Amino acid sequence: EGSHSHSFLQPNMGLLPGSARPRSRPCCRGTLAGQIWFLPRSLQLTGFQAYKLRVTHLYQLKQHNILASVGEDEEGINPLVKIWNLEKRDGGNPLCTRIFPAIPGTEPTVVSCLTVHENLNFMAIGFTDGSVTLNKGDITRDRHSKTQILHKGNYPVTGLAFRQAGKTTHLFVVTTENVQSYIVSGKDYPRVELDTHGCGLRCSALSDPSQDLQFIVAGDECVYLYQPDERGPCFAFEGHKLIAHWFRGYLVIVSRDRKVSPKSEFTSRDSQSSDKQILNIYDLCNKFIAYSAVFEDVVDVLAEWGSLYVLTRDGRVHALQEKDTQTKLEMLFKKNLFEMAINLAKSQHLDSDGLAQIFMQYGDHLYSKGNHDGAVQQYIRTIGKLEPSYVIRKFLDAQRIHNLTAYLQTLHRQSLANADHTTLLLNCYTKLKDSSKLEEFIKTKSESEVHFDVETAIKVLRQAGYYSHALYLAENHAHHEWYLKIQLEDIKNYQEALRYIGKLPFEQAESNMKRYGKILMHHIPEQTTQLLKGLCTDYRPSLEGRSDREAPGCRANSEEFIPIFANNPRELKAFLEHMSEVQPDSPQGIYDTLLELRLQNWAHEKDPQVKEKLHAEAISLLKSGRFCDVFDKALVLCQMHDFQDGVLYLYEQGKLFQQIMHYHMQHEQYRQVITVCERHGEQDPSLWEQALSYFARKEEDCKEYVAAVLKHIENKNLMPPLLVVQTLAHNSTATLSVIRDYLVQKLQKQSQQIAQDELRVRRYREETTRIRQEIQELKASPKIFQKTKCSICNSALELPSVHFLCGHSFHQHCFESYSESDADCPTCLPENRKVMDMIRAQEQKRDLHDQFQHQLKCSNDSFSVIADYFGRGVFNKLTLLTDPPTARLTSSLEAGLQRDLLVHSRRGT
């Protein structure tokens, strides 16, 4: 222990002040003349007479300005203990608060040592006869203090020390032959024998908390450390110990090589030789000698004002000042004592950055010496502070790859690695072919234990050919895309890839089937089709071969997967038919594709029976009602594949009767032309006219069909006879015999119509003559009202009554209740209003005609005038509500007669 010596304290000769303390106080020294001297920081000595004869012992408390002294006022009596309050004065001297004998009794006994507890409640005094007195209570006052003998023995007491642990107070007692401890905070003062080895005077001390307040006993063979109940470690420091002192974590030992019996300490100092003495300062925590020097006749070692002072007999004071931590470390660095520097830095509580700098320098030193294993261990301790690239560059050599691996492993364990570090570490594993380490690295138990970028690791492993390891990472960390890439592109295990997709949640399964569906369909079409069926109907992820039936089902848009079947029409048909059966509300694209597929199969099929079956399937699909909104698309598909039955069906559904007619005309299907006219002629009468024109252009004999058309035209009166004749005039094979019956019947009907018109004219003339006579009578003759009943209530007519020239009579109260005006007959008013409305319309139209003619003559753009009047509805056909529905021609005479009649009737009221 302590084989290395380092000068961590700087000596100064003379009385030089050390570094400042928080509270400056003087250093006290006693003399054999009974005086006590004070040496403050100003180095101005002051003193006073404390005893008449001599001062033998002084003890100055650290936390109080209290000084305890032992001395003699008279020869032959027990020494006296005096307690001084240095803050108070009595005639210019410190105030003595208490005086009492060191030991009860009258027999004089020499005091060997003195100690006082910092709480001022305990004071112990040791004697050369082996006894120890304990003063318990307030040591500054007589009333509150009690002195008693704590210990009696046969060997001189050489050292005392109090130790406070919580509420328990221990007192260490050391003699020349043994070490023991007492618990003085209780009543019975239990005693524990710690060792049978003692020490000389001033060779014991109490350490600070850094050494757990252990009691230090410096024997000639070893230095022992004690706890209150047992002995602790020991240090084999050579030499005869003269002084032991504890200073700021250091153990200060003054020794000489020549052995001197401990009992000589109590003899006169003049009898001792003045051999040179060695002062060693030990750092017990870090186990090295912090300072070592040779002095002549050391009188005492003092610790004050942050420095250590060595007093020698030649009257000199040597001040030892501790160097700062950085200076200490630099000294150790120069000697390449890095382990010691690390321990020192830790004991001085150096921050992590400072420690990392030491570790780096230590690593650099080991690396330069060729100790790469040791160097990498030091570099590992810099992780988090030192840039990893600094270390990595040093170990990139192939021979040092295992060191680099160790560093990178630790970097990942501390979660400080980036993607490049992960790549490098995995490359190291693959270069070393260390599969066990590789598996240990990647096969972590939980996500929280992953200390690397998983995606980077997968890329590296895949590139290096470690597919199983890459698959493990991809599967365990839900990198589905990478798992499928490796399975499909590297391993070519399509079955496993499809099984894996079947285990994924719906969103991932859908996206991956869109991405890899074509590859899977090319190699395993049946299984892929089966998975797509489930994905588009009621998808549930499979758990170890079984579907999770408790999870809610999802379904994808089946139309989006149609491109996957580009080269697999058989599977596409199975998929489309499955979707149309299981899910009738499938997207329209499913039915469009299914129709196109069936039409393709029908067009390319050679077997008549199979072709007939495919024909029926296509027609059935068209009749399913799924193409109402995409009629044009279905029609185009049927036309592209020359599926005539489908085309005709769609024409009929779309009410495209002209196209149906045109189709049959193109194919010269005369019977079908007639059939179309018969089926749809009511909805589109122009079909008969087209049929007549079609047959008229035919040079072959079509008399049968022309006759059928003419018969229907005649029955429905669809065309004027002259237009029929003109139409058939273009046919060289159509003779007069073809239309003879038509013309005869038409002329007969016109003759009948003429007779009816002449009869109606004659009737109108008679009616006009009669009305004129009535008008004349009304003008010239009086009107006799002979009505006996009211025309409204049909009750007997009573006065007062109202009579109209039209012959209707009313009770006055009935008339007032039902009439809209006083001048109009309530019974005739509705009919008269209709006629008047027609007359006003005709008059307005006549006015518009005159205006139209005027604008047409004056305008430079006649067409714009006509278009304007068309837009205003001037040329719309006027329908007379009084005409019968079948009447098509009304002569101007009839209109004039009706207008005259209405006017005369109006006047008659």
Side-chain angles (χ1 to χ4, degrees):
E1 299 283 344
S3 59
H4 296 281
S5 176
H6 313 283
S7 182
F8 283 176
L9 288 91
Q10 181 177 357
N12 292 315
M13 186 67 71
L15 289 173
L16 298 177
S19 58
R21 282 173 62 89
R23 181 166 61 92
S24 179
R25 64 178 186 175
C27 180
C28 302
R29 291 285 93 182
T31 67
L32 296 179
Q35 294 176 321
I36 296 178
W37 293 90
F38 298 100
L39 181 63
R41 291 291 296 271
S42 62
L43 304 181
Q44 299 296 324
L45 280 171
T46 60
F48 70 96
Q49 191 70 36
Y51 293 88
K52 296 178 181 179
L53 292 182
R54 67 181 65 89
V55 179
T56 59
H57 295 83
L58 292 176
Y59 190 93
Q60 187 175 11
L61 278 77
K62 297 178 181 179
Q63 300 179 9
H64 304 275
N65 252 351
I66 301 296
L67 176 66
S69 64
V70 179
E72 299 175 6
D73 283 339
E74 298 179 18
E75 293 285 357
I77 65 171
N78 282 329
L80 293 177
V81 179
K82 295 183 180 182
I83 307 300
W84 307 89
N85 189 336
L86 303 181
E87 293 180 348
K88 297 181 180 181
R89 293 290 171 176
D90 181 14
N93 298 326
L95 176 63
C96 182
T97 61
R98 183 184 178 193
I99 302 174
F100 61 93
I103 189 171
T106 58
E107 184 178 354
T109 307
V110 178
V111 176
S112 59
C113 52
L114 167 69
T115 186
V116 182
H117 198 290
E118 288 293 329
N119 62 11
L120 300 178
N121 288 325
F122 299 98
M123 182 171 64
I125 304 173
F127 299 89
T128 57
D129 64 356
S131 61
V132 176
T133 62
L134 177 66
N135 191 282
K136 191 173 183 182
D138 190 352
I139 64 171
T140 62
R141 299 182 182 181
D142 288 327
R143 289 182 302 173
H144 301 94
S145 181
K146 179 182 178 181
T147 303
Q148 56 185 324
I149 297 176
L150 177 66
H151 170 78
K152 287 185 177 182
N154 300 322
Y155 305 105
V157 178
T158 57
L160 297 170
F162 285 108
R163 181 183 189 272
Q164 188 71 36
K167 295 182 179 181
T168 303
T169 305
H170 295 88
L171 174 63
F172 290 101
V173 179
V174 59
T175 68
T176 57
E177 299 297 335
N178 55 36
V179 181
Q180 50 216 321
S181 69
Y182 291 87
I183 298 177
V184 298
S185 54
K187 293 182 179 180
D188 298 333
Y189 308 132
R191 171 179 171 273
V192 178
E193 184 79 23
L194 298 177
D195 209 340
T196 57
H197 301 283
C199 66
L201 281 172
R202 300 188 301 170
C203 290
S204 62
L206 188 70
S207 67
D208 58 18
S210 66
Q211 287 292 330
D212 199 19
L213 296 174
Q214 296 184 93
F215 187 57
I216 300 172
V217 176
D220 289 343
E221 302 295 334
C222 293
V223 173
Y224 300 93
L225 278 66
Y226 297 93
Q227 294 284 353
D229 54 354
E230 63 180 356
R231 192 177 82 176
C234 65
F235 300 90
F237 298 149
E238 298 178 352
H240 174 60
K241 311 303 186 295
L242 300 178
I243 298 174
H245 192 79
W246 188 264
F247 170 68
R248 297 174 66 173
Y250 295 102
L251 175 61
V252 182
I253 297 290
V254 178
S255 61
R256 62 166 174 252
D257 290 337
R258 190 168 61 85
K259 299 293 180 70
V260 178
S261 176
K263 60 184 180 180
S264 65
E265 291 289 338
F266 301 97
T267 62
S268 173
R269 287 187 176 270
D270 296 336
S271 63
Q272 298 182 15
S273 64
S274 59
D275 294 342
K276 292 186 180 295
Q277 299 165 358
I278 301 174
L279 183 142
N280 287 322
I281 300 178
Y282 300 96
D283 187 338
L284 299 183
C285 180
N286 299 312
K287 298 181 176 58
F288 63 82
I289 301 174
Y291 181 79
S292 181
V294 177
F295 293 89
E296 293 184 359
D297 271 345
V298 177
V299 176
D300 203 353
V301 177
L302 309 174
E304 195 61 59
W305 307 317
S307 300
L308 199 62
Y309 297 91
V310 181
L311 179 62
T312 56
R313 200 169 296 278
D314 58 4
R316 294 182 178 183
V317 175
H318 304 265
L320 302 179
Q321 296 176 342
E322 185 178 7
K323 296 179 180 179
D324 61 87
T325 302
Q326 189 60 38
T327 304
K328 297 177 188 178
L329 294 175
E330 290 175 358
M331 292 172 60
L332 293 174
F333 294 158
K334 291 178 181 178
K335 298 181 180 181
N336 295 327
L337 298 175
F338 292 97
E339 286 289 351
M340 198 172 294
I342 292 169
N343 294 333
L344 175 64
K346 290 180 178 179
S347 66
Q348 298 294 324
H349 305 292
L350 197 65
D351 60 14
S352 57
D353 291 333
L355 284 172
Q357 188 68 21
I358 299 174
F359 295 143
M360 184 193 73
Q361 294 187 38
Y362 191 16
D364 292 344
H365 170 71
L366 294 175
Y367 185 86
S368 64
K369 296 295 184 181
N371 185 0
H372 298 97
D373 294 339
V376 79
Q377 293 304 317
Q378 298 306 316
Y379 288 134
I380 286 174
R381 300 168 78 176
T382 66
I383 290 177
K385 300 296 181 182
L386 181 62
E387 177 62 35
S389 59
Y390 176 83
V391 181
I392 293 173
R393 284 195 298 267
K394 289 179 175 292
F395 295 98
L396 283 178
D397 188 18
Q399 286 74 19
R400 304 274 70 84
I401 195 170
H402 63 281
N403 299 125
L404 180 59
T405 303
Y407 178 80
L408 292 172
Q409 282 177 339
T410 309
L411 195 65
H412 281 81
R413 278 195 292 268
Q414 296 186 19
S415 302
L416 296 174
N418 57 30
D420 293 333
H421 299 149
T422 302
T423 302
L424 188 56
L425 177 58
L426 293 173
N427 283 328
C428 289
Y429 284 138
T430 56
K431 293 291 184 182
L432 294 172
K433 301 189 182 302
D434 193 345
S435 298
S436 60
K437 284 286 187 181
L438 179 59
E439 291 183 3
E440 181 183 352
F441 177 72
I442 66 173
K443 293 185 178 180
T444 53
K445 295 180 180 179
S446 64
E447 188 73 25
S448 60
E449 296 180 8
V450 177
H451 305 293
F452 56 90
D453 183 71
V454 176
E455 186 171 358
T456 301
I458 294 173
K459 291 179 182 178
V460 175
L461 292 171
R462 183 189 181 196
Q463 186 177 8
Y466 284 77
Y467 300 126
S468 61
H469 297 79
L471 287 174
Y472 174 85
L473 283 178
E475 184 172 9
N476 281 273
H477 298 281
H479 286 264
H480 310 307
E481 183 177 353
W482 282 108
Y483 184 92
L484 294 172
K485 274 186 178 181
I486 297 170
Q487 289 284 17
L488 296 174
E489 299 176 10
D490 300 323
I491 304 179
K492 311 293 185 182
N493 191 342
Y494 306 104
Q495 293 282 359
E496 182 61 26
L498 190 65
R499 180 199 64 80
Y500 184 81
I501 293 176
K503 296 193 304 180
L504 297 178
F506 171 74
E507 291 79 8
Q508 286 84 356
E510 181 185 19
S511 62
N512 282 290
M513 281 305 296
K514 290 178 181 178
R515 185 178 294 111
Y516 302 109
K518 287 186 177 181
I519 299 176
L520 294 170
M521 183 63 67
H522 177 72
H523 293 90
I524 45 174
E526 294 183 4
Q527 296 90 326
T528 306
T529 304
Q530 200 63 31
L531 178 59
L532 286 174
K533 289 179 181 179
L535 187 64
C536 297
T537 52
D538 187 21
Y539 179 77
R540 290 181 174 86
S542 60
L543 303 176
E544 296 183 358
R546 295 179 299 172
S547 179
D548 185 6
R549 294 299 173 187
E550 297 182 0
C554 302
R555 66 183 187 182
N557 186 352
S558 51
E559 186 176 0
E560 296 177 355
F561 295 95
I562 292 176
I564 293 176
F565 298 89
N567 299 317
N568 300 79
R570 183 170 61 86
E571 284 74 19
L572 175 60
K573 181 181 179 183
F575 174 73
L576 296 174
E577 290 178 347
H578 173 81
M579 294 305 303
S580 62
E581 293 173 3
V582 177
Q583 190 176 310
D585 60 341
S586 295
Q588 183 61 40
I590 293 294
Y591 292 94
D592 295 344
T593 308
L594 181 59
L595 175 63
E596 182 178 4
L597 188 63
R598 286 182 176 179
L599 292 176
Q600 285 180 354
N601 294 339
W602 172 83
H604 295 89
E605 184 58 49
K606 302 299 182 182
D607 189 344
Q609 294 182 352
V610 177
K611 193 176 186 70
E612 183 63 26
K613 181 181 177 181
L614 294 174
H615 179 278
E617 290 178 353
I619 290 293
S620 175
L621 183 58
L622 286 173
K623 293 181 178 181
S624 64
R626 299 295 308 183
F627 300 93
C628 298
D629 297 332
V630 289
F631 171 83
D632 295 339
K633 187 173 184 179
L635 182 60
V636 169
L637 288 174
C638 292
Q639 290 174 341
M640 286 174 56
H641 296 88
D642 197 23
F643 190 61
Q644 300 302 333
D645 290 348
V647 171
L648 293 175
Y649 173 77
L650 291 173
Y651 281 161
E652 185 174 353
Q653 293 299 310
K655 300 186 184 305
L656 301 178
F657 308 128
Q658 301 287 345
Q659 282 78 359
I660 298 176
M661 176 75 78
H662 181 68
Y663 171 80
H664 291 305
M665 289 178 177
Q666 281 185 329
H667 293 79
E668 297 184 353
Q669 297 174 348
Y670 303 150
R671 175 56 55 191
Q672 281 78 2
V673 170
I674 300 299
T675 303
V676 170
C677 292
E678 291 174 349
R679 292 180 59 184
H680 308 296
E682 293 292 335
Q683 301 176 48
D684 187 1
S686 64
L687 294 177
W688 292 104
E689 300 175 9
Q690 295 181 21
L692 181 62
S693 300
Y694 170 71
F695 288 122
R697 290 192 299 270
K698 292 295 180 182
E699 297 299 329
E700 55 189 279
D701 189 6
C702 298
K703 295 180 181 181
E704 178 185 357
Y705 306 110
V706 171
V709 173
L710 288 175
K711 182 178 180 180
H712 191 83
I713 290 176
E714 179 188 356
N715 293 336
K716 299 297 182 179
N717 195 22
L718 299 178
M719 296 177 64
L722 182 59
L723 183 60
V724 172
V725 173
Q726 291 176 349
T727 301
L728 292 177
H730 298 287
N731 191 334
S732 58
T733 60
T735 60
L736 184 61
S737 61
V738 175
I739 60 172
R740 182 183 58 188
D741 295 339
Y742 167 77
L743 292 175
V744 170
Q745 293 178 4
K746 195 66 178 176
L747 290 173
Q748 289 178 351
K749 287 183 179 180
Q750 286 184 354
S751 298
Q752 294 175 0
Q753 184 65 36
I754 291 172
Q756 291 177 359
D757 292 342
E758 290 177 349
L759 181 62
R760 188 179 296 111
V761 169
R762 187 169 56 253
R763 188 171 63 249
Y764 285 160
R765 286 176 178 173
E766 293 174 356
E767 184 69 18
T768 301
T769 302
R770 183 184 61 79
I771 291 174
R772 286 175 177 172
Q773 290 176 359
E774 289 182 0
I775 293 172
Q776 187 62 33
E777 290 178 359
L778 290 173
K779 290 179 178 179
S781 303
K783 177 67 175 178
I784 300 173
F785 300 103
Q786 297 179 344
K787 284 279 187 178
T788 59
K789 292 184 178 180
C790 177
S791 298
I792 293 177
C793 64
N794 208 26
S795 299
L797 197 62
E798 297 178 354
L799 295 176
S801 60
V802 178
H803 303 275
F804 285 88
L805 293 177
C806 60
H808 296 111
S809 300
F810 307 93
H811 292 117
Q812 185 175 359
H813 63 273
C814 292
F815 175 75
E816 292 175 352
S817 300
Y818 289 95
S819 67
E820 295 181 6
S821 67
D822 294 340
D824 294 324
C825 172
T827 302
C828 299
L829 182 62
E831 189 67 23
N832 290 341
R833 181 175 294 169
K834 292 180 182 179
V835 176
M836 293 304 296
D837 290 342
M838 286 190 298
I839 293 173
R840 280 193 296 269
Q842 291 174 352
E843 290 177 350
Q844 183 180 8
K845 190 172 182 180
R846 183 184 61 191
D847 295 341
L848 287 174
H849 173 74
D850 296 340
Q851 183 180 1
F852 169 72
Q853 292 292 339
H854 176 73
Q855 290 183 1
L856 194 63
K857 290 178 180 179
C858 298
S859 175
N860 295 327
D861 188 0
S862 302
F863 181 78
S864 62
V865 175
I866 296 173
D868 177 59
Y869 274 83
F870 263 109
R872 290 158 59 182
V874 172
F875 302 106
N876 291 346
K877 178 182 178 181
L878 175 67
T879 301
L880 298 178
L881 301 178
T882 56
D883 289 349
T886 56
R888 290 185 174 271
L889 299 175
T890 303
S891 66
S892 60
L893 178 60
E894 291 175 349
L897 288 174
Q898 289 180 358
R899 184 168 62 254
D900 291 342
L901 288 173
L902 287 172
V903 170
H904 289 306
S905 298
R906 174 66 179 165
R907 291 175 179 175
T909 60

